[in-house]
Amino acid sequence: MSPPRRPVGLGPRLFLAQGLVVVAGALTLLGVTLMLAPGLFQEHLSQLPEPVGAASEQHIVAAFLGATGTSLAVAVLVSLVTVLAVSWFVTRRVVRPVQAMAGAADRIAAGDYTARVSIRGTGPELEALGNALDQTAHDLAVTERTRAEMLRDVAHELRTPLTALRGYIDALSDGVLVLDPDAVRTLHAQLARVERLVDDLATVSRAEERRLDLHLRAMAPAQLVDAAAEAARPAYARSGVSLLTDVTAGLPAVRVDPDRIQEVLANLLDNALRHTPAPGVVTLTARDGQGVVELAVADTGEGLAPEHLRRVFERFYRVDPGRSRQRGGSGIGLTIARALTEAHGGHIRATSDGPGQGATFTVTLPTTPPTTPPP
C-alpha cells in the first residue's frame, strides 16, 4: 500500500499560481508580438518613398523578425526570472505569518494557551487575524484558570461542611456526642450550607446559559426597592448599620421577574452589610438613567482597590482571601447578581474611590415602553 500523498502547502501553491500568471502573460505578449509585428513592419516598408527590392525586403524582414524574436525571448526570460524572484519574496512574506498563526493555533488546540503570534507589516487583514488569535488564546487561558479556580474553590467549600458532618457523625457513632437538639441543629446547618452552595451554583449556571424560567411583569422600581429594604432591615438592625432608601419620583416601570431581582438586591445588600462596619450607612437608590433604571447599593464601608473592581463578580472571588467563610460568605453572591441581571437584559457594575472609601454596585435595567391607550 502506497503512503498517502503529502498535501501541497500554501506557499508552493501561491508561488505556482503567480508563476502561471506570469508565464501566461509572457506567452501572450510573445504570441501577439509575433502575429502583429511582421505585418505592421511590411506595411511600413511599402510606404517608403523609394521602393525596396524583393531580395532586400526579405533580408530586412528576416533581420527584423530575428532581432525582435531574440529581444523578446531574452526580455521574457529575464522578466520571468525577475518576476519569479519577486513572487518568491512576496510569497514568503505572506506565508510566514500564516504559518506562524497555524503553529500557534495547533499549540492552542493542544492546550498551550501561552501561544502568541507577532505579525507586523503584513497588512490590516493578517494583523487583525493574528490579534484575534492572540485574544482567543488569552480568553481561553483566563477561562481555564477560572475553571481550575472554581473547581478548587467548590471542593474547598464542600469539604468544610462535609468534614464537620463527618466529625459529628463519627462522634455520635462513637458515643462521644449525644444526638440532642443542639447536635441536630448543627447537622442541619451544615447540610443547609451544602444545599445553598449547590443551589447557588445551579442558579449561576442556568442564568449564564440563559436557561432560567423568568416570570416577567412590569414593576415600579419603588416597589422593588421597598421590598428589598424591608427584607434586609432586621439583619441591618442587628449589625448596627443604617439602611436608607432614595427613589426618584416618576420612574418608568421595568419588566422583570420580581423574585429574581429581589435576589439580586438581597445579594448586594448582604455584600454591603458584610463589608460595612457599624455605625456605617448603606443606601439603596433608584434613579433614571436615560432609557434605563439604575438600582444602586452604596455603602460607606471598606471600599475596593482598582485591581479588584474587575474581578468582584467572579465565582468565589474574595477581596480578602483571609476572610472567614462564615463572615465572608461563599463568594458567589455577586456572581449570582451579575448572572440574574444579565438574564434580564441588564448590566451590573462596581465602582469605588479606593480602600476605606466605600463601594457602589449599580444594576441597570431596561425600562418598559409606555402603553398607548386605545382610541
Side-chain angles (χ1 to χ4, degrees), residues 155-330:
H156 182 82
E157 295 291 340
L158 290 175
R159 185 182 298 113
T160 302
L162 291 177
T163 301
L165 285 171
R166 175 175 290 278
Y168 271 96
I169 292 173
D170 289 344
L172 290 171
S173 300
D174 296 339
V176 176
L177 291 179
V178 179
L179 190 61
D180 56 14
D182 289 337
V184 172
R185 279 194 297 271
T186 301
L187 293 173
H188 277 297
Q190 297 298 334
L191 285 174
R193 184 176 176 185
V194 175
E195 291 173 347
R196 184 168 59 253
L197 176 61
V198 172
D199 290 341
D200 287 348
L201 286 172
T203 299
V204 171
S205 298
R206 288 197 304 270
E208 291 179 344
E209 296 171 8
R210 296 296 191 269
R211 293 191 294 109
L212 278 178
D213 185 16
L214 298 177
H215 303 282
L216 302 176
R217 60 191 179 95
M219 291 289 297
Q223 291 180 275
L224 299 174
V225 169
D226 291 342
E230 287 302 315
R233 286 194 192 282
Y236 273 74
R238 288 192 299 268
S239 299
V241 178
S242 299
L243 176 58
L244 307 178
T245 59
D246 182 13
V247 180
T248 302
L251 290 177
V254 289
R255 187 171 178 79
V256 297
D257 183 328
D259 294 335
R260 293 300 187 181
I261 294 300
Q262 287 302 315
E263 190 172 353
V264 172
L265 295 178
N267 281 324
L268 294 181
L269 289 171
D270 181 61
N271 178 75
L273 180 61
R274 286 200 306 270
H275 295 278
T276 304
V281 177
V282 174
T283 305
L284 175 57
T285 63
R287 57 181 179 268
D288 188 5
Q290 297 183 349
V292 297
V293 168
E294 295 182 346
L295 307 177
V297 175
D299 63 63
T300 60
E302 300 168 358
L304 293 166
E307 63 269 19
H308 297 305
L309 291 174
R310 296 180 294 103
R311 302 195 60 191
V312 290
F313 297 104
E314 295 179 8
R315 300 182 187 187
F316 302 110
Y317 182 77
R318 286 186 180 83
V319 174
D320 180 8
R323 183 181 294 271
S324 67
R325 302 284 166 173
Q326 286 74 22
R327 183 168 179 260
S330 66

Side-chain angles (χ1 to χ4, degrees), residues 95-172:
V95 172
R96 185 177 296 172
V98 174
Q99 290 174 336
M101 287 187 287
D106 287 339
R107 291 172 58 190
I108 293 171
D112 180 8
Y113 302 131
T114 62
R116 297 292 186 271
V117 292
S118 179
I119 298 177
R120 295 294 181 269
T122 58
E125 294 83 1
L126 288 178
E127 289 183 9
L129 185 58
N131 292 336
L133 187 62
D134 286 348
Q135 185 62 44
T136 299
H138 172 74
D139 293 343
L140 287 173
V142 172
T143 300
E144 179 63 20
R145 185 169 61 251
T146 302
R147 183 192 66 83
E149 291 176 354
M150 185 188 71
L151 290 176
R152 183 174 61 252
D153 288 334
V154 168
H156 182 82
E157 295 291 340
L158 290 175
R159 185 182 298 113
T160 302
L162 291 177
T163 301
L165 285 171
R166 175 175 290 278
Y168 271 96
I169 292 173
D170 289 344
L172 290 171

